[in-house]
Amino acid sequence: MATPIILDCDPGHDDAVALLLALASPELELLGVTTTYGNQTLEKTTANAIRVLELAGRPDVPVAAGADRPLERELVVAAHVHGESGLDGPTLPPPSAEPISRDAVEWMAGAIADAAGTVTLVPTGPLTNVARYLDEHGTTGIERIVLMGGAIAEGNMTPAAEFNVWADPEAAQAVLHAEVDVTMIGLDVTHRAVTGADVQRRLRGAGSIGVFVAELVDFFAVYHRETYGWDGAPIHDAVAVAHLLRPGLVGTKPRNVEVELESELCRGRTVVDLWLRTGRPANAHVGVDLDTDAFFDLLVERLARLPAR
Ligand code: RIB
Ligand code: CA
């Protein structure tokens, strides 16, 4: 039986790849997509989710728009990374449909209540929607949460913090303390999922969706080349989906994770007790390594299965 999932995302180049990987994987049943501000405004991330679903020939997948700003913090979007549209680079038609009328949290509640089994949440943007859902509906019906966000070591939005957690640190702290099974796929793992010339070549040979993803990467790599000197881009969010497909790809350790809320300097830092210094109970399976080659083998193989656009 396929694992029912909800992808909560802010497309966003790597969110788009995560969505396509989920659609290409029969092990997963994508119940729907919920969207949040993050890489761009809510309006743009929602339109981008619909655009990618239509590209993949899946306009049947419901898209429910959620939070247009963090719980408490100011709205900051990552246009410097993902461009004005949030999905700059490839030519992609505008969406031909609107999101459903219900908001993300309301739709999540219905989808989880109606699901045959427990549902896995896969957040790949700021955690505002998920925190709101948990606050209003609790953890009943949720199998686990496998999120892309945080970091053991360095951040990317600031030296201290990763963007998804930095954007809404209160939401991240709430999710980590909701007493639900959480896996944190952070930058320590996703910075090992950086494309290169060989991956780009293989993507361009993986059908028209593979070409589309290679074009996404071409744009996404500009920021990362300028910032890190890399010859490619980290496909952060697709690693969270890949973890559901191949649990062995990402090594994890049960550890305590707390989020810095008070400091401005370290706002949104995920403080991971990797070496068990604090005695605080583990509240997440924290990603510590990645089999990079196996990840890209899986990604290319699955994208090639999607129908030509
Ligand atoms: O820090 C990386 C994360 O922030 C990814 O999910 C990317 O899409 C952005 O949302
Ligand atoms: Ca994202």
Side-chain angles (χ1 to χ4, degrees), residues 31-309:
L31 299 179
V33 175
T34 52
T35 55
T36 175
Y37 70 89
N39 288 321
Q40 255 299 351
T41 62
L42 175 66
E43 180 184 4
K44 292 179 179 179
T45 61
T46 303
N48 290 336
I50 297 169
R51 292 166 77 194
V52 173
L53 285 166
E54 291 177 345
L55 174 76
R58 294 299 308 277
D60 58 296
V61 176
V63 175
D68 63 2
R69 71 192 59 135
L71 294 177
E72 298 177 21
R73 309 284 176 149
E74 77 287 0
L75 172 65
V76 174
V77 299
H80 61 296
V81 181
H82 297 270
E84 194 46 41
S85 72
L87 214 50
D88 282 14
T91 303
L92 193 61
S96 64
E98 292 294 318
I100 63 170
S101 58
R102 282 173 291 160
D103 112 300
V105 170
E106 184 187 354
W107 176 83
M108 270 184 188
I112 291 169
D114 294 346
T118 50
V119 176
T120 296
L121 304 186
V122 185
T124 62
L127 289 156
T128 312
N129 289 338
V130 176
R132 283 177 51 216
Y133 175 84
L134 292 169
D135 181 52
E136 293 175 28
H137 300 279
T139 61
T140 304
I142 295 176
E143 175 70 21
R144 62 175 175 156
I145 297 174
V146 179
L147 66 90
M148 191 279 140
I152 299 169
E154 63 183 14
N156 59 1
M157 184 62 185
T158 72
E162 179 279 327
F163 175 76
N164 288 339
V165 176
W166 179 90
D168 196 339
E170 285 75 20
Q173 181 74 342
V175 171
L176 286 162
H177 287 275
E179 296 185 0
V180 63
D181 186 313
V182 172
T183 297
M184 181 184 114
I185 307 284
L187 295 178
D188 319 275
V189 168
T190 66
H191 277 179
R192 301 181 194 202
V194 178
T195 60
D198 181 54
V199 168
Q200 284 291 77
R201 178 187 56 77
R202 291 163 61 197
L203 285 170
R204 294 190 197 283
S208 60
I209 297 295
V211 169
F212 171 72
V213 169
E215 292 171 350
L216 285 174
V217 169
D218 283 338
F219 181 89
F220 197 31
V222 170
Y223 167 80
H224 291 91
R225 189 172 294 112
E226 290 168 358
T227 305
Y228 298 96
W230 294 341
D231 176 27
I235 314 300
H236 304 284
D237 297 337
V239 179
V241 174
H243 183 57
L244 294 175
L245 301 170
R246 296 274 192 287
L249 286 186
V250 176
T252 65
K253 292 182 176 179
R255 291 296 185 269
N256 178 266
V257 183
E258 303 295 338
V259 179
E260 174 55 53
L261 304 176
E262 303 307 320
S263 159
E264 195 45 41
L265 179 66
C266 294
R267 157 191 167 169
R269 176 151 190 74
T270 44
V271 179
V272 178
D273 185 7
L274 186 62
W275 304 113
L276 306 176
R277 301 291 83 204
T278 69
R280 290 194 291 257
N283 56 348
H285 306 282
V286 178
V288 293
D289 58 32
L290 173 70
D291 181 339
T292 299
D293 291 343
F295 167 69
F296 282 118
D297 289 349
L298 175 68
L299 180 63
V300 171
E301 184 270 323
R302 290 298 165 94
L303 293 177
R305 297 188 186 187
L306 289 170
R309 55 174 171 170

